Amino acid sequence: MQAIVIYIAAALAEIGGCFAFWGWLRMGKSPLWLVPGCASLVLFAWLLTLVDSGDAGRAYAAYGGVYITLALLWLWLAEGVRPDRWDLGGAAICLAGAAVILFGPHRV
């Protein structure tokens, strides 16, 4: 359960950091947006190191499903675009895959 909380926090930090760059380059926002954006991306990377996994690749792979789901939530809440059934179906598939990776009985 702790990994899921970390993944959610990491996804929000990554999306926020990337959105700061998007705002600067694509929306004409001030370059000052890069300061919290960079800090947010550093926070994202640090948070992923807290996941209890012996393999970085497995931790990142499981994180992917959570990231995709929260990116669609960001699309809806921050950008005002409601995800359609294809978005939601894709997110469900990704979350199922993340659960298999995260909770599967891996060899040690």
Side-chain angles (χ1 to χ4, degrees):
M1 185 55 100
Q2 180 184 5
I4 294 170
V5 172
I6 292 169
Y7 284 150
I8 290 170
L12 292 173
E14 183 180 11
I15 292 166
C18 290
F19 188 74
F21 277 79
W22 180 276
W24 169 59
L25 288 173
R26 302 283 301 268
M27 299 169 64
K29 301 294 182 183
S30 166
L32 293 176
W33 274 46
L34 298 178
V35 175
C38 287
S40 188
L41 291 172
V42 168
L43 175 64
F44 148 71
W46 175 75
L47 284 167
L48 283 184
T49 67
L50 301 179
V51 174
D52 187 23
S53 175
D55 305 299
R58 186 170 286 136
Y60 301 158
Y63 162 73
V66 175
Y67 173 84
I68 289 167
T69 303
L70 286 179
L72 291 172
L73 187 62
W74 179 277
L75 173 72
W76 189 8
L77 299 177
E79 299 182 56
V81 178
R82 188 176 178 149
D84 62 23
R85 64 184 172 141
W86 298 103
D87 295 326
L88 298 176
I93 291 168
C94 292
L95 282 176
V100 169
I101 293 167
L102 188 60
F103 301 118
H106 302 288
R107 288 185 278 190
V108 188

